[in-house]
Amino acid sequence: MVIQKLWSAKIQFLKGVGPANAAKLAKLGILTVGQLLEHYPRRYEDRSNHKLIAELTDGQYETFRAVIINIGELKSHRGLKIVKVTVRDQSGVAQLTWFNQSYIKNKYKPGMELIISGKVQRRLQAIEINKPDIELAAEFNADSGQIIPVYPTTENTPQWQLRALTRQAVELLQTSPAPEEDSLPAEIVSGHNLMNRQQALTTIHFPKNMQTLTEARRRLVFEELYLLQCGLAYLKQKNKYRCRGIKHAPDAQLIAKIESNLPFSLTSDQTQTLCEIKADMEDTTPMQRLLQGDVGSGKTVVAAIALAKTVENGYQGAMMAPTEILAEQHYHTLAKLLAPHGIKLAVLTGKLTRKSRDQLLGHIKDGGIDIVVGTHALIQDDVEFKHLGLVVTDEQHRFGVQQRARLEAKGGQPDVLVMTATPIPRTMALTVYGDLDVSIIRELPPGRQPIATYSRGSERRARVYAFAVDQIKAGRQVYIVCPLVEESEKVEAQSAVNIHEELSSTFFKNYHCGLLHGKMKPQEKDAVMAAFSCGEIKALIATTVIEVGVNVPNATVMIIEGADRFGLAQLHQLRGRVGRGVHKSYCVLLSDSTNEETVERLRVMTEINDGFILAEKDLVLRGPGQFFGTAQHGMPDLKIADIIRDTDILLEARRAAQQTVCSPEYLERVWKTLKSWFGDKFSMVFCR
Ligand code: ADP
Ligand code: MG
């Protein structure tokens, strides 16, 4: 059997897998032999230093070798069936127990030698191990090594079964005729001192020693990251050589006028970023740039000038925001900066009447409108531009890559600027946004004071609210964010309603309290936001719908109920709603959690104001999966690479990938593997 065929063979191809087992394996995402081989161990157990029974420590996870002397089954008074297997070595006797697993007693016979791993319970007279992991010593010859893989699995598929099946697959892999080609070009394999693929796959499951295991892992991590980086580098290159985009002219009078009339002078990061954007726009290659900047760092004005530049060149600009509130806010900001200079702007959201929408679409099509700001409404099929030159998307991680692509498709290779306020750690950016150029605004506009942040238990709730009332008395406004309920927007909304009811009849009974949640109609939400914006509402009780971008400079207090439910990045986003004006601002994190990691997370928030540092911490504390919902960015999950641990390999693989895509001959060879590896998951990106 050729390797490719074995790889894609149904898992039933293996001996011992019938429909029942196949269904259980499917729960683990294993449908084919290849998927089994890529179901990598979660950790390993080094059984090379076995203990004697007499040396086993209570409460520890230990491994020892012993012979079965007796197998029995008894019934507990509650009707549980208990299998008890007694084993012995030269130092003593131990008892292995299983509840309601009668089949165990038929699996083993007295006289068999076992290798036993499990948590030790030392009782007065006996040593007991409940539900141990068992390996037959006979199957455990010198050849199979002493380092045992431990797989991620469920109750239904025990470790021993996964090990046995994987061993079978690995043996088939070894006896199959060598594949014609490694998945990587030979020069890459030798140039980077990599183990060959077959050997690496065998070793990752059944390593002979720790050193070869490290080598095998390095090979597989490299392969994964290299191929991903090839894909990304290819996209970038394709963009560069194949597409001829719009060549904007150097700045002329309009830009000069707008820039000299700004209400403030740009920070040096803003200036630098703007230079990078303008250079991209003046080039024939379509711009594909990511603009990262913490909340309040002043991305909007940068986008405004870029949009004005495309207008100066006779094109139209579009800006897409994830919510209506944000779209309107951006529209107002842009209009204030640009409309006085004769630029015509419009906002397109879902709430326009049919008639005014049709009218607006007409103006967008005939070029009567220069800049359109909008929500998803912008990417509907009937929205046509006369000549789209620049597309800006704000808070892009909320849009799928596909949505972004649909807006871009409305123009002939428009320049693209993607803005995000979620600072992305560098390693993450290289994997997720590897096809984009990156500009960063790190410094905040001058005069910003750090937001004083406190973490408090609910016993201090009354004092926290009293403080908020003092701020309202001083003329300020307050946000109260309700606990996050990820599973249900409905429950979350209900909790907001309850908290609103409570607070508006107690602490804030003398003040106008507003309520904002995801189950409200867009008009209702807008009315509440407008009332808060103009200062009529003093305390706004809200769910995370306020997370994104809302700008009310007079708000100085952010109280987050159930702060333990949020990740660092999200807390930071919420906190960014205050501290936007001249007044000193505060953020209070209410939580009763005693969980060590949570307490640490909240403590980090009180000490660090820099979103980039928080993002790095968040990534370390919660792992990449949590940091970014995978579905959102449309990139494949990494099977083995860990972008925190494997930064060095990532950088090496990235350099190699960049060289590869520059050589057509190399690219040709990687291309097939690329498509077969990532094709389905990656197609969204590849078809751009
Ligand atoms: P972001 O979109 O990055 O969260 P905004 O563009 O909304 O940030 O800017 C936040 C606030 O800072 C706005 O009120 C804006 O007018 C102001 N601002 C932006 N740049 C500067 C600057 N260079 N100097 C002073 N204020 C600025
Ligand atoms: Mg913004």
Side-chain angles (χ1 to χ4, degrees):
M1 165 150 311
V2 215
I3 186 168
Q4 220 58 30
K5 270 202 180 150
L6 173 66
W7 198 258
S8 53
K10 291 237 160 55
I11 193 73
Q12 277 105 316
F13 175 79
L14 297 180
K15 267 186 241 120
V17 186
N21 276 330
K24 288 177 192 165
L25 288 164
K27 290 230 166 73
L28 292 170
I30 301 171
L31 303 170
T32 64
V33 175
Q35 283 166 340
L36 177 69
L37 285 169
E38 283 183 343
H39 191 73
Y40 297 119
R42 177 163 49 87
R43 61 182 180 87
Y44 299 85
E45 252 167 57
D46 190 351
R47 296 184 180 174
S48 41
N49 50 4
H50 291 166
K51 290 203 168 161
L52 291 172
I53 289 178
E55 297 166 343
L56 300 178
T57 318
D58 183 47
Q60 292 290 322
Y61 192 96
E62 308 244 49
T63 299
F64 60 101
R65 191 185 265 258
V67 177
I68 300 179
I69 47 176
N70 185 41
I71 299 178
E73 186 173 31
L74 47 95
K75 241 185 174 151
S76 79
H77 49 272
R78 287 205 209 114
L80 279 178
K81 284 184 186 155
I82 306 169
V83 178
K84 278 187 182 284
V85 174
T86 313
V87 297
R88 179 170 78 190
D89 70 2
Q90 77 247 33
S91 73
V93 172
Q95 202 74 253
L96 317 179
T97 55
W98 285 267
F99 293 94
N100 278 350
Q101 283 178 286
S102 293
Y103 69 89
I104 293 282
K105 68 177 191 282
N106 304 320
K107 241 183 98 182
Y108 302 111
K109 289 188 188 65
M112 279 180 166
E113 193 180 2
L114 306 178
I115 292 169
I116 302 146
S117 303
K119 194 168 166 191
V120 175
Q121 294 178 300
R122 260 184 182 276
R123 300 272 155 77
L124 271 182
Q125 292 301 321
I127 291 175
E128 198 173 298
I129 294 140
N130 187 15
K131 238 174 105 190
D133 247 343
I134 303 285
E135 207 89 11
L136 293 180
E139 288 179 3
F140 209 80
N141 45 36
D143 184 51
S144 65
Q146 307 269 296
I147 303 170
I148 306 300
V150 180
Y151 295 99
T153 187
T154 58
E155 285 280 297
N156 294 330
T157 311
Q159 291 292 339
W160 63 263
Q161 192 178 27
L162 274 174
R163 276 181 211 138
L165 290 175
T166 308
R167 191 180 291 281
Q168 202 190 127
V170 159
E171 271 159 20
L172 286 171
L173 189 71
Q174 282 167 337
T175 52
S176 73
E180 279 167 45
E181 264 184 308
D182 196 293
S183 52
L184 302 177
E187 294 86 342
I188 295 283
V189 174
S190 61
H192 293 269
N193 272 323
L194 301 174
M195 204 181 249
N196 81 46
R197 180 165 164 78
Q198 218 163 319
Q199 197 189 343
L201 278 169
T202 305
T203 307
I204 198 79
H205 291 289
F206 304 106
K208 292 213 169 65
N209 55 52
M210 284 301 177
Q211 195 196 333
T212 53
L213 174 60
T214 308
E215 281 305 298
R217 190 175 176 279
R218 181 169 157 268
R219 148 76 207 214
L220 295 170
V221 169
F222 185 96
E223 175 180 83
E224 184 167 55
L225 294 173
Y226 169 78
L227 288 170
L228 180 60
Q229 291 297 327
C230 279
L232 293 166
Y234 171 77
L235 278 181
K236 197 162 171 178
Q237 177 180 278
K238 182 171 129 215
N239 182 45
K240 190 158 176 196
Y241 292 116
R242 302 225 185 122
C243 320
R244 295 192 53 95
I246 298 162
K247 189 172 164 67
H248 289 85
D251 292 350
Q253 280 170 10
L254 180 64
I255 296 296
K257 248 174 34 189
I258 291 170
E259 289 186 349
S260 60
N261 278 303
L262 288 177
F264 40 71
S265 51
L266 296 178
T267 64
S268 62
D269 278 359
Q270 282 171 321
T271 308
Q272 168 69 24
T273 299
L274 203 48
C275 273
E276 290 164 356
I277 292 170
K278 286 176 177 172
D280 281 1
M281 289 177 75
E282 288 167 20
D283 196 284
T284 44
T285 307
M287 169 165 74
Q288 293 277 340
R289 187 168 285 278
L290 175 71
L291 171 53
Q292 287 192 51
D294 211 342
V295 274
S297 61
K299 296 182 294 295
T300 320
V301 61
V302 172
I305 296 170
L307 286 163
K309 185 175 175 75
T310 207
V311 175
E312 181 173 69
N313 281 266
Y315 296 97
Q316 291 166 297
M319 183 166 183
M320 183 158 72
T323 63
E324 302 205 339
I325 296 177
L326 253 192
E328 284 179 8
Q329 191 176 293
H330 280 322
Y331 166 76
H332 290 300
T333 311
L334 296 184
K336 227 178 359 202
L337 293 167
L338 306 179
H341 303 280
I343 295 179
K344 289 185 224 57
L345 299 102
V347 58
L348 177 61
T349 61
K351 68 178 191 196
L352 290 182
T353 61
R354 172 110 230 145
K355 196 169 149 225
S356 46
R357 180 169 186 275
D358 286 348
Q359 223 168 29
L360 178 54
L361 292 193
H363 291 314
I364 296 174
K365 196 172 173 183
D366 68 20
I369 294 290
D370 299 314
I371 294 174
V372 193
V373 186
T375 54
H376 292 85
L378 270 179
I379 55 176
Q380 270 149 25
D381 286 336
D382 57 350
V383 181
E384 290 173 62
F385 288 83
K386 182 168 182 223
H387 212 159
L388 187 57
L390 173 66
V391 168
V392 180
T393 47
D394 190 15
E395 312 288 348
Q396 98 89 32
H397 67 284
R398 305 214 155 200
F399 293 112
V401 179
Q402 222 161 12
Q403 289 170 313
R404 196 174 10 130
R406 277 181 66 184
L407 184 53
E408 288 157 30
K410 291 189 181 292
Q413 308 297 343
D415 284 321
V416 172
L417 180 65
V418 175
M419 305 199 296
T420 177
T422 308
I424 302 155
R426 180 174 144 75
T427 44
M428 192 81 166
L430 289 181
T431 344
V432 179
Y433 295 112
D435 62 326
L436 303 179
D437 296 302
V438 180
S439 294
I440 299 179
I441 304 182
R442 269 207 93 123
E443 96 197 277
L444 297 180
R448 292 282 164 79
Q449 312 173 37
I451 298 158
T453 304
Y454 306 92
S455 171
R456 295 286 182 261
S458 61
E459 78 284 353
R460 309 264 287 266
R461 209 162 161 250
R463 275 172 62 187
V464 170
Y465 282 113
F467 172 74
V469 169
D470 286 345
Q471 285 282 305
I472 294 176
K473 280 185 187 148
R476 306 285 87 77
Q477 288 162 279
V478 177
Y479 290 103
I480 294 110
V481 176
C482 307
L484 178 72
V485 186
E486 236 155 35
E487 312 79 51
S488 161
E489 204 177 359
K490 204 168 140 201
V491 178
E492 191 172 76
Q494 189 53 49
S495 122
V497 170
N498 296 344
I499 292 180
H500 177 261
E501 213 164 84
E502 182 210 333
L503 293 180
S504 56
S505 60
T506 55
F507 300 108
F508 298 122
K509 64 172 182 287
N510 297 324
Y511 301 98
H512 188 166
C513 292
L515 172 66
L516 192 69
H517 61 70
K519 284 276 154 190
M520 288 162 58
K521 295 207 184 75
Q523 292 94 316
E524 296 173 326
K525 278 195 255 182
D526 286 358
V528 172
M529 262 335 286
F532 189 63
S533 248
C534 74
E536 190 186 311
I537 290 177
K538 299 298 178 197
L540 182 61
I541 289 107
T543 60
T544 46
V545 292
I546 59 145
E547 182 189 339
V548 183
V550 176
N551 192 17
V552 180
N554 190 48
T556 54
V557 181
M558 165 64 63
I559 297 170
I560 303 176
E561 301 258 0
D564 46 287
R565 307 258 186 113
F566 298 90
L568 277 177
Q570 215 173 3
L571 288 173
H572 182 65
Q573 286 282 314
L574 288 169
R575 178 169 64 182
R577 300 303 109 224
V578 297
R580 299 175 81 86
V582 291
H583 306 288
K584 170 94 188 141
S585 292
Y586 307 86
C587 175
V588 186
L589 311 168
L590 290 172
S591 159
D592 286 326
S593 173
T594 50
N595 176 294
E596 218 170 286
E597 192 206 300
T598 307
V599 171
E600 168 65 11
R601 194 163 69 225
L602 299 182
R603 194 190 60 76
V604 165
M605 275 299 293
T606 63
E607 285 178 4
I608 298 174
N609 258 287
D610 183 320
F612 283 88
I613 299 174
L614 284 173
E616 299 274 358
K617 295 247 181 206
D618 205 23
L619 191 55
V620 173
L621 282 173
R622 295 198 301 165
Q626 290 283 313
F627 185 85
F628 250 131
T630 329
Q632 286 173 326
H633 53 70
M635 287 287 167
D637 273 327
L638 296 173
K639 293 198 187 77
I640 188 165
D642 169 340
I643 56 172
I644 302 165
R645 231 172 100 184
D646 300 322
T647 311
D648 290 347
I649 307 181
L650 171 65
L651 295 175
E652 187 182 340
R654 184 175 153 84
R655 277 193 300 275
Q658 277 161 346
Q659 283 166 8
T660 301
V661 294
C662 289
S663 141
E665 181 218 343
Y666 263 50
L667 185 59
E668 183 78 15
R669 280 149 69 194
V670 181
W671 189 238
K672 244 179 46 212
T673 325
L674 261 184
K675 270 191 125 151
S676 74
W677 272 49
F678 292 128
D680 47 340
K681 291 182 200 154
F682 222 23
S683 56
M684 225 160 73
V685 183
F686 275 124
C687 70
R688 270 217 308 239

